[in-house]
Amino acid sequence: MTVVIEGRARQVRLGRRALLQAVSGSLVAPFVGVDAALGADTAYVDPALVEHFAMLRSVLVESDNRVGAAAILPTARQQIGHIAGFRAAARGDLHDAFLRTEERWAEFAGWLSDDLGDRVAGDWWLAQALTMAQEAGDAEFTTYVFARMAQRAAEATDRDRVLGLARAAGCSGNGRGQVRAFVALQSAHGHAIAGNTAGFQAAVDDAHHLVAGAVDDGGSLGSFCTTAYVWAQEGDGWHRLGRPRAAVGCFNRALDAWPDSYRRERGLYLARTAAAYAAAGEPGRAAAAALAALELGRLTRSARTTREVTAVGSQLTAVFPTESGVADLRAALAASPQPT
């Protein structure tokens, strides 16, 4: 597994037992004695804890892709409390290192909350992450958090906020190519919401160019923003712009190159592929994609994926009630727990 610590990628070995312990929240205490450390004299804080928490976060990110946010978020919240305790006790450069660690965990907690459908908690955690990043003088992470906020505004179809937050991201720091590509994609979504096809295409082209020229150093900030991710985001934009066939083409290109380990996101983009097929008047393909998405949504316990599949199912049932694939999807949805 690759872990990025203080801007440097490192390889660490973590076995299946360690992964399972991390999911249950039991990895920390036997590994470094966090509980004992928090109750002891805090005049000295071991600098190695910064690397430990970076490693643990990487384990939980990997676990999140496989078992879902519901299993991970309680552990994440617990560890943020530990990190905050060490940060308060540390001084000088070590204090700042813990602050940068805490900001990344806060953003992660926001992501987990969003996937569970708790946007209020997602708002709160991202605000915490932004405050910490600015306090730490972490320009690249500030850029990234503004872009994440823009991404969430796009999900709420708030054009003004998307473009404003994307501009803030662009002004807050340069960042590496994949971070800047992620920012460009938020601008693209803002233009798509506004119906500005030319602006959307220009921003997407910029994102493709930035990703193509990026050096992937393994697990760095924004490393998820690959060519496949850009194709998926372009599909979202074409769907918003009323071009469902163009959206289907982009989604399929993205899914063909999607990493096997990112199962939850595969489920999400299958759900969006289904929505695009439905809008293009292809109910059979829409139902097939939606069924595949629903299965991945169950496996990863993604409320967001299940919610999007449910919306597609309602649309297909209303327009194509007699299609056999639609009937299968309706039955599968009826047997599946619905997100709250």
Side-chain angles (χ1 to χ4, degrees):
M1 173 181 293
T2 301
V3 181
V4 176
I5 303 162
E6 294 296 291
R8 298 189 300 276
R10 302 183 187 179
Q11 294 292 327
V12 298
R13 287 184 173 273
L14 286 168
R16 180 176 177 81
R17 180 180 177 187
L19 188 65
L20 292 173
Q21 284 179 319
V23 174
S24 66
S26 62
L27 179 63
V28 174
F31 189 33
V32 294
V34 167
D35 291 337
L38 284 172
D41 181 4
T42 57
Y44 173 76
V45 177
D46 186 354
L49 288 172
V50 173
E51 181 169 350
H52 160 68
F53 282 113
M55 290 171 59
L56 180 57
R57 181 180 173 278
S58 292
V59 172
L60 293 180
V61 168
E62 176 64 21
S63 300
D64 172 43
N65 284 318
R66 298 196 174 274
V67 302
I72 303 301
L73 183 56
T75 301
R77 287 196 299 250
Q78 178 192 56
Q79 300 316 309
I80 290 169
H82 293 328
I83 296 165
F86 288 122
R87 182 253 304 155
R91 298 292 180 267
D93 291 343
L94 184 57
H95 171 276
D96 292 343
F98 274 110
L99 187 59
R100 289 190 293 272
T101 300
E102 191 177 355
E103 74 192 12
R104 281 158 171 75
W105 277 79
E107 188 278 328
F108 180 45
W111 170 259
L112 295 170
S113 298
D114 283 344
D115 194 59
L116 291 171
D118 189 349
R119 286 187 63 87
V120 173
D123 282 337
W124 189 86
W125 282 115
L126 270 186
Q128 295 299 303
L130 180 61
T131 300
M132 293 174 199
Q134 291 177 322
E135 181 183 347
D138 191 340
E140 184 176 59
F141 200 71
T142 298
T143 294
Y144 178 74
V145 175
F146 272 128
R148 279 277 289 115
M149 289 177 166
Q151 180 186 45
R152 297 173 83 256
E155 291 170 358
T157 323
D158 188 340
R159 178 189 68 184
D160 180 61
R161 290 281 289 159
V162 178
L163 291 172
L165 288 165
R167 281 194 299 270
C171 292
S172 62
N174 291 325
R176 67 196 73 206
Q178 287 170 300
V179 173
R180 287 185 287 133
F182 185 53
V183 173
L185 287 172
Q186 308 324 310
S187 294
H189 289 311
H191 291 306
I193 292 169
N196 181 356
T197 302
F200 165 75
Q201 187 66 74
V204 166
D205 289 346
D206 189 26
H208 276 296
H209 175 74
L210 287 164
V211 165
V215 176
D216 186 1
D217 55 5
S220 60
L221 187 63
S223 61
F224 64 86
C225 193
T226 61
T227 297
Y229 183 84
V230 176
W231 280 118
Q233 297 297 298
E234 183 173 356
D236 280 340
W238 287 125
H239 194 197
R240 287 184 189 277
L241 287 162
R243 300 267 301 273
R245 294 192 182 280
V248 164
C250 291
F251 285 137
N252 284 333
R253 291 187 71 168
L255 290 168
D256 284 345
W258 208 257
D260 291 339
S261 60
Y262 291 169
R263 295 194 303 172
R264 181 186 53 201
E265 280 66 32
R266 173 177 286 276
L268 178 65
Y269 289 111
L270 276 167
R272 293 179 182 179
T273 303
Y277 272 129
E282 298 191 45
R285 289 182 173 179
L291 281 167
L294 183 62
E295 179 61 22
L296 285 172
R298 286 172 174 168
L299 288 172
T300 60
R301 304 179 186 181
S302 174
R304 183 172 47 163
T305 299
T306 303
R307 187 175 294 109
E308 294 202 17
V309 173
T310 300
V312 172
S314 297
Q315 180 184 355
L316 289 173
T317 297
V319 182
F320 305 101
T322 61
E323 288 282 338
S324 60
V326 173
D328 292 341
L329 175 61
R330 188 165 57 244
L333 282 167
S336 177
Q338 296 300 297
T340 57

